[in-house]
Amino acid sequence: MSKILVTGGCGYIGSHTVVDLTDHGFNAISADDFSNSHQKMVDGISSLINKKHVNYEVNLCDMEATERIFKENPDIEAVIHFAAHIYVPESVENPIKYYRNNLNNLLNVMECCKRYGVDNLIFSSSCAVYGNTKELPVTESTPFGEAECPYARTKQMGEQIIRDFCLANPKFNAVLLRYFNPAGSHESSKIGEAPILENTHLVPILTEVAIGHRKSMTVFGTDYPTRDGSCVRDFIHVMDLAHAHTKAVEYLLQKKNETNCDVFNLGIGDGVTVLEAINAFEKINGIKLNYSLGERRAGDVAAIYADTSKSKNKLGWTPKRNIEDIVKSAWDWERNKSWLTE
Ligand code: UFG
């Protein structure tokens, strides 16, 4: 059983990836300092993988503590690096927090990979690297645009750091995964999105309105040049996204990579508008949401969705779930997650 270190493995996408890796025969351990995840998420993961999940409560900016994980686990074959701050508005307010954490984390993890002979790295990147692109759908060769916020810039810089490292170390292999809009949760409702910090993403806002934690929500902008005036996004179910990581690990371990730094877009390949997402939620879950139509939000792009042919053809990954599956599982999770904070 190949051992995989998942940094940020008790967070949203990380926890789902630990479960998917285990389901596919890998031994996944994690490093998560619970700065934006609940300690009890370990129990949720454990109940799904039928054993006690091993997590190192480590801040990866601490090199000594990070190194201890690698020392204690000389059999790590690949690292999936999720651990990062992820909120666009927060990054605008506090850029130093983002640069310090997201870059130092990555540098420490790569330094440890080098020192301990771990030759495979999968990096959580984002469609944010493309900026406000006019080229739709976005392919992996669409050039980086001007980053809209410090968060996006940390992802652009992270990718560049990895590319430089790969050039200097031809034996080292990386896969950069650019996520579009991850949403939804594991079908069991035992794990799901549960940040400690205030969430600003659309789908969890829908569930928070539905359950009454928020009185109402606003659709940010209805005058975009799209089919109904609201923004278009490529919502990808978190379980499909998690499985793409398993595929990426297999791709590297089976040496199927084309270069030692391959890039893939991870989306469904189709755009859904904000109003369509709200309608899907109301229809599938039989709930009316209290929302109003409002002004545009600063920094939003009108439309972005992925060309997914490369990830389908080279990674052998095809997402199976759609927006209905996303809003249903997100609502199931919202109604089940109170045990996390009890
Ligand atoms: N939205 C609303 N009302 C809300 C919240 C969101 O209308 O209360 C809209 C936004 O304006 C946007 C869409 O829903 O049009 C999606 O917004 P999210 O905040 O859920 O996601 P973003 O598309 O802004 O963010 C995603 C990723 C980021 C990445 C960014 C780059 O989650 O990691 O794309 O474009 F940086």
Side-chain angles (χ1 to χ4, degrees), residues 160-301:
Q160 196 53 58
I161 290 168
I162 294 169
R163 274 181 209 290
D164 289 342
F165 187 78
C166 287
L167 270 180
N169 298 279
K171 216 168 78 118
F172 189 80
N173 298 295
V175 167
L176 314 176
L177 297 178
R178 295 179 181 155
Y179 313 151
F180 281 66
N181 285 60
S185 63
H186 191 274
E187 285 79 3
S188 67
S189 296
K190 289 185 174 170
I191 56 172
E193 190 165 10
I196 305 284
L197 302 174
E198 195 197 337
N199 156 68
T200 59
H201 290 150
L202 178 68
V203 173
I205 286 179
L206 302 184
T207 65
E208 285 167 19
V209 172
I211 206 150
H213 292 158
R214 289 175 192 252
K215 281 206 183 78
S216 65
M217 61 161 295
T218 305
V219 175
F220 296 137
T222 51
D223 59 349
Y224 286 102
T226 59
R227 52 185 174 264
D228 61 19
S230 64
C231 290
V232 170
R233 291 292 182 273
D234 185 337
F235 294 96
I236 173 78
H237 194 291
V238 68
M239 281 310 295
D240 283 328
L241 190 59
H243 189 53
H245 293 77
T246 304
K247 286 284 193 187
V249 169
E250 289 169 349
Y251 178 78
L252 286 181
L253 296 185
Q254 292 165 12
K255 305 204 179 308
K256 289 183 176 163
N257 45 330
E258 286 192 332
T259 71
N260 74 332
C261 189
D262 285 350
V263 187
F264 295 100
N265 281 340
L266 299 179
I268 207 166
D270 193 18
V272 171
T273 71
V274 172
L275 285 167
E276 285 165 355
I278 294 175
N279 289 338
F281 186 97
E282 292 188 328
K283 196 166 159 213
I284 290 285
N285 298 315
I287 293 172
K288 273 277 169 227
L289 293 173
N290 186 13
Y291 69 89
S292 57
L293 306 180
E295 296 296 311
R296 293 181 178 197
R297 181 174 74 173
D300 273 341
V301 301

